[in-house]
Amino acid sequence: MRDIPVLYIVIPCYNEANTLPVTAPLFLNKIQELIERNLVQDSSRILFVDDGSKDDTWQIISTLAKNNKYFAGIAQSRNRGHQNAVLAGLMESKDKCDITISIDCDGQDDLNAMNEMVKKYLEGFDVVYGVRNDRSSDTFFKRFTAEAFYKLLRVMGVEVVFNHADYRLLSARVAEELGNFKEVNIYLRGMIPLIGFSSTEVYYERHERMAGKSHYPLTKMLELALNGITSLSIKPIRIISSIGLGVSALSFLMIIWTFVRYFQHQTVPGWASTLDIICLMGGLQLICLGVLGEYIGKIYMETKDRPRYIISKRTDNMEENNELDK
């Protein structure tokens, strides 16, 4: 059995001025409950990560941190996206705690699952995934596309946990190893399983958003899906290579057939067949160029080696760490 850990709850926030007053007390109640049950130490904290919000999110975080020792906050210099915000929180807290639990700000994920997560850590697990036991609260479209996305990732060779988002517990040594992954194009749901270490799952019900509105529209979901596939798998390139070989073989057979028909004097001049072949080949080439271009773009961004996040502000209880760029 492990010693009682110090926990940091990492919560990314983007324009959550309407949500924080509702959910912050719930997070506070949960961490106090965990302390009272002797599951985590009193030095545990709730770390909000302001992802370049344009509303009063940072002011609310600062006020929470001034009024209660369990709250802390950091702010990114600009909006960098959900995955970078989670990473920033994990990297900024990994030297201050034994475990982190990342969770969204909206209150949809069941906070009671944290109790079981910490117990699993005490049993010896280094990674505990929060997994939805059903998606009945989602619309049919979202449920269908989400399940199709997970299946597509697995087909593409990406190791992911089905119905798991970013609600998870990581031990400090897992967070330390995550820091050694230097890629700029981040997809944590696929990166965490690559680290290894002992892992398990905790199942929970996901509720409706408590306040505010979602900042993850369909366009951002598609962008995340594309980033997840191209950042962690080269299978699309192999697929288009296979398609290219197949089309080349088919074209070669068509050429032989055309010559045979020509010498049999059975060919009829026409534009339809020519046009069909041009359209088919042109479409395939554009698709293949698009996939290759996506990977080349990823390589371009990686070679720049830009910082994945930049912290511009910290609450007083986070000021001892003065390293700005990661």
Side-chain angles (χ1 to χ4, degrees), residues 265-280:
H265 304 287
Q266 295 180 355
T267 56
V268 177
W271 59 270
S273 58
T274 303
L275 185 63
D276 288 344
I277 292 173
I278 291 174
C279 290
L280 173 64

Side-chain angles (χ1 to χ4, degrees), residues 81-84 149-150 153 165-166 186-189 216-232 298:
H82 179 271
Q83 296 292 281
N84 292 75
F149 170 56
Y150 283 114
L153 282 176
D166 287 292
I186 301 168
Y187 185 68
L188 293 173
R189 302 175 198 181
Y216 239 75
L218 179 60
T219 53
K220 282 194 175 182
M221 291 175 64
L222 292 174
E223 183 180 342
L224 179 66
L226 182 62
N227 193 45
I229 294 171
T230 55
S231 297
L232 294 163
K298 288 288 192 298

Side-chain angles (χ1 to χ4, degrees), residues 132-140 143 205-206 208:
R132 297 177 62 172
N133 54 16
D134 71 82
R135 304 190 70 99
S136 57
S137 60
D138 290 344
T139 63
F140 171 79
R143 183 166 60 250
E205 273 189 49
R206 188 171 170 87
E208 295 293 333

Side-chain angles (χ1 to χ4, degrees), residues 282-295:
L284 286 174
Q285 287 174 349
L286 288 174
I287 292 172
C288 295
L289 285 173
V291 175
L292 291 173
E294 185 67 29
Y295 278 94

Side-chain angles (χ1 to χ4, degrees), residues 144-160 162 187 221-222 224-230 232-236 239 295:
F144 173 78
T145 53
E147 292 178 355
F149 170 56
Y150 283 114
K151 291 176 181 178
L152 177 61
L153 282 176
R154 289 184 175 179
V155 169
M156 291 297 173
V158 179
E159 185 179 352
V160 290
F162 193 73
Y187 185 68
M221 291 175 64
L222 292 174
L224 179 66
L226 182 62
N227 193 45
I229 294 171
T230 55
L232 294 163
S233 174
I234 62 169
K235 206 162 187 178
I239 289 173
Y295 278 94

Side-chain angles (χ1 to χ4, degrees), residues 57-112:
T57 296
W58 178 249
Q59 286 76 11
I60 294 173
I61 292 172
S62 299
T63 301
L64 289 169
K66 287 179 182 177
N67 295 336
N68 193 294
K69 70 175 184 177
Y70 293 115
F71 289 117
I74 57 176
Q76 298 211 83
S77 60
R78 60 179 294 272
N79 177 251
R80 298 295 299 272
H82 179 271
Q83 296 292 281
N84 292 75
V86 174
L87 180 71
L90 295 176
M91 295 301 101
E92 292 293 311
S93 61
K94 64 183 176 63
D95 296 327
K96 304 173 185 294
C97 62
D98 301 303
I99 56 175
T100 60
I101 294 179
S102 57
I103 186 172
D104 288 341
C105 181
D106 53 24
Q108 288 187 275
D109 296 317
D110 185 6
L111 298 184
N112 292 323

